[in-house]
């Protein structure tokens, strides 16, 4: 396992009040010609990380997408795996996700046991992350594939208690996600309430499409935002989203 460079960088950014932006690339969904445009726009805009993964990667694109991005830029590549098959040495780090909003033991410990021996020998930095799925107004792939219920968007108290428990269990980051392509992104009230009770870096994603929403989430206490669908539709949006995050 690699040094804890990426996580240390996030902790330092949080301490200094700096915010971070990740662009999500789903190897299964992203059209190949789009990846190059997204990567170039991300480099120019100063995006901090690429998150790579999806609920269902059905093709064999993971390694080639990682290699293709690495050829074009030096932005750190972070695996955001939907299951224990989405592993590759070509990335820099992996979010070792526990789906703590759900009650599916496979996604709380089962797949982790399967992945652990691979990760122990791998050069990847392993970052344990409590993943909290929030209802985004539409049934997302994560919800179906994980066989879990999302936290209702108006149940801030459940999100707060779940986040607290995740931090107490020793998880190093928390991720509030409305799911890719969410109609309704995570409400700012929920972000603010969660950010108010935990000390670990807070990731927020799902349905973020505009710099205005990005800024509102950062003001509410998000440390790292993740955007996928909006930039897949129009890579030109990366510039304005990155400018909002860097200028915060
Ligand atoms: C999903 O948070 C990510 O896990 C990104 O969501 O594709 O809606 O931006 P979008």
């Amino acid at each position: 396992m690699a040094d804890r460079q990426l996580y240390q960088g996030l902790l330092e950014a949080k301490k200094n009040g700096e915010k971070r932006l990740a662009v999500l690339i789903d190897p299964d969904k992203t059209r190949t010609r789009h990846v190059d445009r997204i990567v170039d726009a991300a480099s120019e805009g100063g995006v901090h990380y690429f998150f790579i993964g999806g609920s269902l990667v059905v093709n064999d694109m993971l390694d080639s997408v990682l290699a293709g991005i690495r050829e074009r830029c030096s932005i750190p590549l972070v695996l955001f795996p939907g299951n224990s098959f989405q592993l590759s040495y070509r990335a820099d780090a992996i979010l070792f996700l526990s789906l703590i909003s759900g009650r599916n033991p496979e996604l709380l410990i089962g797949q982790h046991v399967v992945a652990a021996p691979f990760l122990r020998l791998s050069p990847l930095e392993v970052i344990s992350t409590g993943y909290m799925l929030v209802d985004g107004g539409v049934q997302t792939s994560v919800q179906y594939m994980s066989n879990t219920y999302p936290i209702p968007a108006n149940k801030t108290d459940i999100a707060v208690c779940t986040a607290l428990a995740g931090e107490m269990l020793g998880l190093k980051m928390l991720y509030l996600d409305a799911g890719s392509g969410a109609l309704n992104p995570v409400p700012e009230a929920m972000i603010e309430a969660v950010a108010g009770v935990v000390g670990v870096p807070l990731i927020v994603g799902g349905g973020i499409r505009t710099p205005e929403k990005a800024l509102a989430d950062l003001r509410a206490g998000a440390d790292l935002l993740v955007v996928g669908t909006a930039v897949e539709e129009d890579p030109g949006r990366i510039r304005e989203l990155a400018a909002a995050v860097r200028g915060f």
Side-chain angles (χ1 to χ4, degrees):
M1 283 187 284
D3 291 343
R4 301 170 62 206
Q5 283 175 355
L6 197 139
Y7 185 63
Q8 283 305 331
L10 267 171
L11 288 180
E12 272 159 40
K14 184 173 172 62
K15 203 167 75 186
N16 298 331
E18 292 165 17
K19 304 297 184 176
R20 296 285 183 251
L21 178 66
V23 165
L24 173 68
I25 292 185
D26 183 336
D28 200 42
K29 278 201 215 139
T30 312
R31 285 156 282 168
T32 315
R33 67 184 168 81
H34 248 179
V35 174
D36 290 351
R37 284 184 60 205
I38 291 171
V39 171
D40 292 347
S43 292
E44 285 159 24
V47 164
H48 299 93
Y49 311 106
F50 280 116
F51 280 10
I52 314 288
S55 294
L56 189 69
V57 175
V58 292
N59 60 31
D60 56 356
M61 292 288 283
L62 180 61
D63 273 325
S64 62
V65 165
L66 287 166
I69 300 172
R70 176 56 79 238
E71 257 175 37
R72 286 182 96 84
C73 75
S74 57
I75 296 173
L77 304 175
V78 181
L79 295 177
F80 173 47
N83 58 54
S84 56
F85 296 104
Q86 294 173 31
L87 300 174
S88 170
Y89 279 17
R90 292 181 188 270
D92 299 296
I94 181 169
L95 300 186
F96 201 44
L97 298 165
S98 288
L99 208 172
I100 58 174
S101 58
R103 300 294 180 268
N104 179 344
E106 269 303 300
L107 302 176
L108 286 164
I109 183 65
Q111 301 229 343
H112 310 68
V113 174
V114 175
F118 174 95
L119 293 174
R120 179 165 175 262
L121 298 175
S122 85
L124 297 167
E125 177 180 349
V126 179
I127 309 174
S128 65
T129 302
Y131 182 82
M132 298 162 62
L133 188 60
V134 178
D135 192 344
V138 63
Q139 188 167 43
T140 56
S141 304
V142 190
Q143 195 178 328
Y144 182 81
M145 292 302 293
S146 67
N147 199 16
T148 66
Y149 293 115
I151 297 174
N154 62 347
K155 300 290 185 192
T156 296
D157 52 346
I158 296 179
V160 164
C161 297
T162 307
L164 275 174
E167 186 176 55
M168 288 172 184
L169 282 166
L171 297 169
K172 292 191 193 128
M173 301 201 290
L174 293 163
Y175 189 156
L176 280 172
D177 195 352
S180 195
L183 285 181
N184 309 319
V186 179
E188 287 125 52
M190 184 179 278
I191 299 169
E192 191 170 357
V194 168
V197 295
V198 297
V200 296
L202 180 61
I203 307 171
V204 176
I208 299 172
R209 308 182 68 84
T210 64
E212 291 74 24
K213 176 57 180 161
L215 285 171
D217 288 358
L218 298 178
R219 275 195 291 271
D223 297 300
L224 164 58
L225 299 182
V226 186
V227 292
T229 306
V231 304
E232 157 66 8
E233 287 167 6
D234 176 9
R237 287 197 188 142
I238 292 177
R239 190 184 300 269
E240 55 187 14
L241 287 162
V245 174
R246 286 196 167 265
F248 183 80

